[in-house]
Amino acid sequence: MLGFDIIATVPEIFDGFRTASLLGKAVEKNIIALRVHDLRDFATDKHHMIDDRPYGGGPGMVLKPEPLFLAIEAVRRPDIPSRLVVTAPRGKRFTQARAGEIAAWNESSPETQLILVCGRYEGIDERVMEHFRPEEISIGDYVINGGEVACMVIVEAVARLVRGFMGNEESALDESFTRDKLEYPHYTRPAEFRGHAVPDVLVSGHHAEIEIWRRNRSGAARK
């Protein structure tokens, strides 16, 4: 089982996410575990402060080292394989291949743990990075309010590749970004709608020709 432990500054964002759709079913079936930890629970002052002004001046706030050190140390399990990821703009771009690598790593042990730290504000005190040496991941070259949404992307992309998560295991093998391809166009009933018809080959029953059509209509994945 792959256990996701998310250290968040806005944990309530995950309330619906962890119980909905296939993800919620996978949690119920113990295929994955999804635990969300409030960073403020690890703050050491009476006001539960998790951020402060940056040394050297400048706008914005920085996540303090103390609560992050305590949170990571409390959450990390020494008895199973564990990985630590921080969402950060400078991180390596997250791809389907990276999701597959993490899912494959999970197969190395009956139980594994992926700890995800949600970045926020101007960033994280660099001493956290220097001490724990986490993997840094970015989901794209744009700015969002915090790492919670980025962590959702990582969790969903990895979880759906975990054995038993998908109802049909072959579904994950024939979709966009697998083997550097974008998936072919899809059609469903009715066969004609407002003058737009389904391509004849898809209703022909000739599976070999359908496979050729799909292969030809698959595009190269964006780099």
Side-chain angles (χ1 to χ4, degrees):
M1 180 178 71
L2 174 55
F4 294 94
D5 282 280
I6 300 171
I7 298 172
T9 60
V10 191
E12 57 268 27
I13 289 178
F14 295 94
D15 287 349
F17 175 74
R18 57 184 167 183
T19 58
S21 191
L22 289 176
L23 198 69
K25 292 178 182 178
V27 171
E28 290 179 359
K29 295 177 181 178
N30 292 320
I31 295 170
I32 64 169
L34 182 54
R35 297 172 288 263
V36 181
H37 310 271
D38 189 343
L39 182 59
R40 294 185 188 279
D41 291 341
F42 300 92
T44 56
D45 69 297
K46 66 178 181 179
H47 298 295
H48 300 284
M49 294 293 295
I50 58 173
D51 61 297
D52 208 336
R53 293 184 297 275
Y55 278 116
M61 305 292 277
V62 176
L63 287 176
K64 293 165 61 67
E66 306 101 306
L68 280 167
F69 267 70
L70 292 174
I72 293 168
E73 290 168 348
V75 167
R76 177 177 275 168
R77 290 183 54 182
D79 57 320
I80 60 174
S82 178
R83 291 170 71 162
L84 176 64
V85 168
V86 170
T87 59
R90 71 187 187 189
K92 187 175 181 180
R93 180 75 63 85
F94 187 62
T95 63
Q96 184 70 12
R98 188 72 175 277
E101 182 273 319
I102 296 173
W105 164 79
N106 168 65
E107 298 285 344
S108 66
S109 178
E111 187 174 3
T112 58
Q113 179 188 39
L114 184 65
I115 303 170
L116 296 162
V117 177
C118 304
R120 188 161 278 268
Y121 308 123
E122 296 304 308
I124 292 172
D125 189 294
E126 190 64 20
R127 287 167 290 187
V128 176
M129 316 304 283
E130 293 170 353
H131 181 81
F132 291 103
R133 300 292 181 186
E135 303 173 47
E136 295 182 72
I137 289 180
S138 168
I139 62 168
D141 296 339
Y142 45 84
V143 178
I144 54 180
N145 288 334
E148 282 78 9
V149 171
C151 284
M152 287 182 185
V153 170
I154 296 169
V155 168
E156 186 147 313
V158 172
R160 66 194 308 277
L161 299 178
V162 172
R163 192 184 304 276
F165 183 91
M166 305 276 288
N168 183 349
E169 296 295 334
E170 293 184 0
S171 296
L173 302 177
D174 187 25
E175 58 187 3
S176 293
F177 305 109
T178 302
R179 295 182 290 274
D180 293 326
K181 287 285 188 179
L182 292 176
E183 202 167 354
Y184 47 81
H186 295 277
Y187 298 85
T188 188
R189 294 176 178 82
E192 185 173 335
F193 181 73
R194 294 190 178 183
H196 299 277
V198 173
D200 291 339
V201 64
L202 297 182
V203 295
S204 68
H206 296 296
H207 298 293
E209 293 181 10
I210 291 172
E211 180 61 29
I212 292 171
W213 182 90
R214 286 176 169 172
R215 188 164 58 246
N216 290 338
R217 294 298 299 272
S218 296
R222 294 180 294 275
K223 300 296 186 183

